[in-house]
Amino acid sequence: MKERNYNLRICSINRFTVVSCIALVLIIILYTNCDSYIKSEFFLRLLGAGFFVISYYIGVLSSTAKVRIQFTEEGYEHIWERRYLFSWEKDIKIPWDIIDTYVFEPDRTYDSFIINLTTGIRYKISKLTILPKKDDFEKLVKEFPRIANEYRKKNDPEGKKTLIRKGETFYETKGFRRVYYFFVAVFLFLLFAKLFDPRSPSPWGSLGVLGFGLAFYGTMMKKRPKK
């Protein structure tokens, strides 16, 4: 079979969160010091928005890497084209015969592609969905099940190993469902309390945000058929 290559821009969510928070704290300190020099409320708000955008881009730049994913006869290969800042991670090679399941896990701010191995190790790459740059991430997610199983069958002509299956996302686990239903109960309690008593301290805006979040994650919980 012909080798397949996918060029990706991936993001380390942990790095992004830590660096963005540190940058935002430092920028807030700077912003509060500017308060005594800038009297215009409009310019203060404009400066605050600019500082927020700067902290976001600092997080993105420090947590973004370029990789090339390659499908070969031997397995799935993760080759670093440009590593994360201050990172010296080695290239990753995963033989086809130890891949158990795969998972595509979408979210509001980033999408993740996960490969679970029979050894108990989990391989995961993520891509930011906020102002994303075009790459082959979606193509990789779409083509992986078919091509990976073609290699699995070719390397195992007697069919002793099972096919690589679609796994369970975090939102489909029992633990997440329990937490989700708890917040649904809280939301319904607050909603009915507000309807029967307009003086209830729960603002409609907060109830709307909570309801929207529950609706979004409710769609993520929907079980999809395994391939």
Side-chain angles (χ1 to χ4, degrees):
M1 292 176 60
K2 183 180 178 182
E3 291 186 354
R4 300 295 184 98
N5 291 280
Y6 305 86
N7 296 305
L8 312 180
R9 295 176 64 93
I10 61 174
C11 176
S12 169
I13 304 303
N14 292 335
R15 284 184 173 89
F16 174 76
T17 302
V18 171
V19 174
S20 294
C21 288
I22 293 174
L24 186 59
V25 169
L26 294 176
I27 287 172
I28 288 175
I29 295 173
L30 178 62
Y31 175 76
T32 54
N33 291 331
C34 291
D35 190 28
S36 58
Y37 299 100
I38 302 176
K39 303 303 180 182
S40 172
E41 186 70 22
F42 171 76
F43 282 109
L44 273 175
R45 292 184 178 182
L46 188 64
L47 186 63
F51 282 162
F52 181 81
V53 172
I54 290 172
S55 67
Y56 168 78
Y57 274 103
I58 290 175
V60 170
L61 290 174
S62 62
S63 62
T64 301
K66 289 184 179 180
V67 301
R68 176 165 53 87
I69 303 300
Q70 187 169 287
F71 292 176
T72 67
E73 297 284 350
E74 289 73 30
Y76 176 104
E77 297 184 6
H78 172 123
I79 303 168
W80 295 101
E81 300 285 348
R82 189 186 72 195
R83 290 173 172 79
Y84 298 118
L85 190 65
F86 304 121
S87 173
W88 295 270
E89 298 178 61
K90 297 180 179 180
D91 294 343
I92 302 169
K93 295 184 179 181
I94 306 174
W96 297 117
D97 60 353
I98 66 169
I99 296 178
D100 185 22
T101 61
Y102 69 93
V103 176
F104 172 61
E105 197 168 85
D107 207 325
R108 288 181 298 174
T109 53
Y110 62 90
D111 294 338
S112 297
F113 178 64
I114 302 166
I115 298 176
N116 296 306
L117 309 183
T118 56
T119 58
I121 297 175
R122 187 177 73 157
Y123 165 89
K124 179 179 179 180
I125 53 175
S126 301
K127 176 181 174 65
L128 278 174
T129 57
I130 303 174
L131 301 176
K133 293 190 176 181
K134 188 175 180 180
D135 63 2
D136 297 329
F137 189 86
E138 292 182 1
K139 184 179 178 183
L140 169 67
V141 172
K142 181 180 179 181
E143 295 184 352
F144 177 83
R146 176 180 60 82
I147 299 176
N149 278 309
E150 286 178 0
Y151 278 113
R152 170 68 67 85
K153 291 176 182 177
K154 185 175 181 180
N155 294 337
D156 182 32
E158 297 181 3
K160 293 181 179 180
K161 293 186 175 295
T162 58
L163 294 179
I164 299 170
R165 301 171 293 105
K166 182 178 176 59
E168 190 177 58
T169 69
F170 169 73
Y171 306 107
E172 295 167 347
T173 61
K174 291 182 179 179
F176 178 82
R177 288 175 181 271
R178 293 191 185 101
V179 174
Y180 176 82
Y181 291 135
F182 170 78
F183 278 103
V184 168
V186 171
F187 170 73
L188 292 175
F189 174 80
L190 295 175
L191 178 62
F192 283 115
K194 187 69 175 179
L195 290 173
F196 288 105
D197 183 6
R199 294 172 299 177
S200 172
S202 303
W204 284 110
S206 298
L207 289 174
V209 171
L210 179 58
F212 176 80
L214 290 172
F216 174 81
Y217 285 108
T219 62
M220 306 293 283
M221 287 171 52
K222 185 178 179 181
K223 191 73 175 178
R224 288 161 291 181
K226 294 185 178 181
K227 297 181 180 179

